[in-house]
Amino acid sequence: MTTATADTANSPPNASRCGEGLGGHLRVTYDKENPMHQHTADTDCGPPGAGSAKTTGALSESAPTSRAEGYEAVQRLLQQAVIQGGLPGIIAEVRDGDRHWFGTAGVADTRTGRERSQQDRFRIGSISKTFVATVVLQLAARGRLNLDDTAEQWLPSVVHGHHHDGSSVNIRMLLNHTSGIFNYTDDQEVLNRSETHTPESLVRIAVSHPPTFTPGSGWAYSNTNYVLAGMIIERATGRALAEEITERICRPLGLTGTYLPHGSDPTIHGPHSRHYTKLFQTGPGAPVHDATELDSSMFWAAGGMISTAGDLNRFFGALLGGRILPPDQQHDMFTTVPTRDWISNAAYGLGVTSVRLPCGETVWGMGGALFGSWSYSYGARGGEQMVTANVNGDWGGAGWDDPIGVFTDLLQAKFCGPSGT
C-alpha cells in the first residue's frame, strides 16, 4: 500500500495546527511504501468536541438481531477511534447482500465541525492498484496483451540501466510485485527535486538504482510496477489510463464518485472531507496539517485515485463475485504469492490481497494509505459481505499503532463475531 509522508524539512513555515489550511498544496514525498511500518504519533488536538464525538449509523432496511448487534459493535469501534484514538473522523460502510449499513464518527472538517457523510470522496492510495490490475486483465481477456508479455515489448528501453532488464520482466511480475524493479518512492531526495512528475520521470528514478532482486526470484512492494502497468495500458489502448478506468469499470458499475485525477490536479472534486496529517511526527506537540489539496502526479497508477466507501464496496463486491473478469482472468488475479516484510498474514495476487484475521477467517480486497487518508476495503471471497472504512487522519492512539489497527478490529467485528455479523 502506498503511503505518502512529508519531508518535514520542506514543510511550509506557515503550516498550522488542527486542520487550518497551509495556504497552498502540500508538497509530499514518500517515506516508505508500507503503512504497517510507518511512524505513529499521538494527536495533540482532536476534532471539536472529541470528548463527545458525533456519531451516526444507518441501515438500508431492518436486520436480524444478531446482525444489528454486529453493526453496533462496528459503531462502537468508530466512536473509540475518534474519542480515544484522537482521529478527526472515520466512516465505515458494511454490505451484507442487499443490506447496507453506514456508520460514522468524528468530523469531516475540524474547523466547521461538519460531519462525515456517506457521499464523502477520499483519496484511496494503493486501492488504485486493484483498478489498474483489473483493466490489465480485461485487456488480456480480449487478447490485447498477454500477462507473459515483457515490459520491453510494450515499453522499449524504458526498464533499462543499472542492471534493470525489461526483457526479463513480464506483466504478471509487475502486478504481483515479483519484478525486482526498484521502488521509486524510496528515493525521497530525487522526488523532492520536482514539484510535479510524469510516469516516465518516476520510472527513470527507479531505474537509476539497481534492482532489488532478479526478476521472479523474490517479492518486494514497488510502486514502480504499477506506474509501468499504467503506461502499458496506455500503450495498448491508445487512451489515457483515467479514461480506461472510467470506461471499463466506473461507468459500467455506476461508480459515480470514483476517478483518477488527470495530471497534477490537486483537488478532490465533489463532496469530500478534509485530509489531515501529522507528517508522521511523534510527540504530544506534533502539529496537524491539512493535506486535502496535493499534487497527485507522484501517485498516478500506483495510488492516485479518489472514491467513496459505497463505490468501493460495489467494485470489490462485483470483483470478488466474478462479475467483472472472465474465469481465467479471475483465477489469475486471485492466485497469490507470499509477501515479505509487509502486512502480517497477507498474500498478494494481481492487485488484490488476502489477509488472515486473528480469528482465522480470511478476507480479500486491498488497502491504501495516502497523506491524511487511510482506507481498507475487504470482504468474503464471494463478495456478498464487504466492509470499507476510511479515516481522514494518519496517526494512531488508544492502543492502535496506526489506522491499520482500527481497520483490523473493524474486520474482526464484522467477520469474526458470534454469528459472522
Side-chain angles (χ1 to χ4, degrees), residues 85-223:
L87 287 166
I90 183 170
I91 58 173
E93 181 161 317
V94 179
R95 173 184 171 182
D96 285 300
D98 294 333
R99 290 189 178 90
H100 299 267
W101 177 91
F102 176 82
T104 181
V107 297
D109 188 321
T110 59
R111 183 178 61 83
T112 66
R114 175 173 58 88
E115 295 182 25
R116 298 201 64 178
S117 75
Q118 199 165 4
Q119 290 72 42
D120 272 359
R121 299 178 182 185
F122 46 85
R123 300 186 188 278
I124 63 173
S126 277
I127 298 176
S128 307
K129 290 180 171 70
T130 313
F131 286 83
V132 172
T134 300
V135 172
V136 170
L137 289 167
Q138 287 182 333
L139 293 173
R142 289 161 176 75
R144 304 283 292 275
L145 54 77
N146 191 293
L147 295 184
D148 292 325
D149 291 348
T150 66
E152 182 67 18
Q153 287 175 251
W154 286 102
L155 306 170
S157 302
V158 171
V159 183
H160 179 74
H162 288 85
H163 304 290
H164 284 286
D165 179 8
S167 65
S168 299
V169 174
N170 63 36
I171 294 174
R172 190 188 307 272
M173 293 175 185
L174 297 178
L175 298 183
N176 67 10
H177 295 298
T178 60
S179 73
I181 298 173
F182 181 84
N183 181 15
Y184 72 87
T185 55
D186 284 343
D187 193 337
Q188 299 179 54
E189 181 180 355
V190 175
L191 282 172
N192 269 344
R193 292 175 187 168
S194 301
E195 292 191 2
T196 190
H197 300 269
T198 64
E200 291 79 9
S201 70
L202 298 176
V203 175
R204 284 196 294 271
I205 293 172
V207 298
S208 70
H209 298 266
T212 307
F213 49 78
T214 302
S217 67
W219 188 92
Y221 201 95
S222 175
N223 292 303

Side-chain angles (χ1 to χ4, degrees), residues 1 31 42 45 50 78 108 111 176 188 226 250 282 353 389:
M1 303 170 198
D31 180 22
D42 293 325
C45 49
L78 301 184
R111 183 178 61 83
N176 67 10
Q188 299 179 54
Y226 275 79
C250 299
T282 59
T353 64

Side-chain angles (χ1 to χ4, degrees), residues 331-347:
H331 179 267
D332 286 332
M333 173 169 267
F334 291 93
T335 298
T336 62
V337 295
T339 60
R340 180 180 179 184
D341 300 325
W342 201 52
I343 298 174
S344 298
N345 301 314

